[in-house]
Amino acid sequence: MTYLNISLPASDDKLYTLADFKGQKVILYFYPKDNTTGCTIEAKDFTSLQQEYLDKGYKIVGVSRDSVKSHKNFITKQELNLLLLSDTNEELVKAFDVLKEKSMYGKKYMGIVRSTFILDENGIITKEYRNVKAKNHAATLLDSI
C-alpha cells in the first residue's frame, strides 16, 4: 500500500497523503482534465451529492494531473465544493494504474481513465470502478455504498 504515502498538493493549498484520511472512508476518483465536459458533469454531481456521501461516512477526493491553479479555477468556475489533488508528476495515477494509452482523432496519448476507488478507514481499496461514464456515476455509486 505504498500509495498511502504519496504526497500531493491540493486545491486548499495543503499537502495530503491518503494516509492523512485514515479513520474515514474515502471516495477517491480520478478524472482526465479540469473544465472538460465529462469531468465537469462528474464533479458537479459529486458536489451536489457530497452531503449524502458525508452522511454515509465518506470523504470525496478527486485527482487529476492538472495543477493546483487549474483546480482552483475549476472549483470557482463550476462552483464545486470538493478537495482536488494535483498529481502533475503522475505518482498516484500510476500507483492506481489509471494512466493508459488513449486515442483521439487518430492521435495516441497517455491519459487518465476515469476511475473511482472506495477506500476503507485504513486506506485499503474495498471496491474499484474503472472506465466509468461521468453521467450519473456519482448517484449510482452513492446507491451502491
Side-chain angles (χ1 to χ4, degrees):
M1 293 192 316
T2 55
Y3 59 82
L4 286 176
N5 297 316
I6 295 171
S7 182
L8 298 177
S11 53
D12 65 359
D13 292 322
K14 296 179 183 170
L15 283 175
Y16 289 94
T17 67
L18 292 178
D20 292 333
F21 300 106
K22 271 207 166 157
Q24 57 184 232
K25 296 179 273 188
V26 174
I27 302 295
L28 182 68
Y29 83 98
F30 292 88
Y31 65 98
K33 190 150 182 57
D34 290 342
N35 284 305
T36 56
T37 305
C39 298
T40 299
I41 289 168
E42 185 178 35
K44 282 182 163 258
D45 286 352
F46 273 125
T47 294
S48 68
L49 295 170
Q50 187 173 46
Q51 189 56 54
E52 291 174 61
Y53 276 98
L54 289 170
D55 291 347
K56 288 188 174 194
Y58 289 89
K59 167 94 176 147
I60 301 168
V61 179
V63 182
S64 78
R65 298 183 299 172
D66 296 297
S67 67
V68 168
K69 182 179 179 182
S70 176
H71 283 342
K72 287 180 178 184
N73 174 317
F74 186 36
I75 288 167
T76 301
K77 184 176 179 184
Q78 303 300 337
E79 300 178 350
L80 306 176
N81 185 20
L82 299 172
L83 180 66
L84 301 179
L85 304 182
S86 174
D87 192 7
T88 56
N89 293 329
E90 301 176 345
E91 293 175 85
L92 203 59
V93 297
K94 287 179 178 172
F96 277 82
D97 195 29
V98 296
L99 193 63
K100 302 288 184 188
E101 186 177 272
K102 294 175 152 188
S103 180
M104 185 183 290
Y105 306 117
K107 285 192 169 195
K108 293 194 182 306
Y109 65 98
M110 294 303 286
I112 292 177
V113 174
R114 190 180 315 280
S115 305
T116 302
F117 298 84
I118 299 176
L119 308 180
D120 70 10
E121 295 87 348
N122 296 309
I124 296 169
I125 300 167
T126 58
K127 279 190 178 174
E128 61 181 67
Y129 303 85
R130 294 181 181 269
N131 203 19
V132 299
K133 301 291 179 225
K135 191 173 170 70
N136 297 323
H137 174 60
T140 304
L141 185 66
L142 183 64
D143 289 342
S144 75
I145 56 174

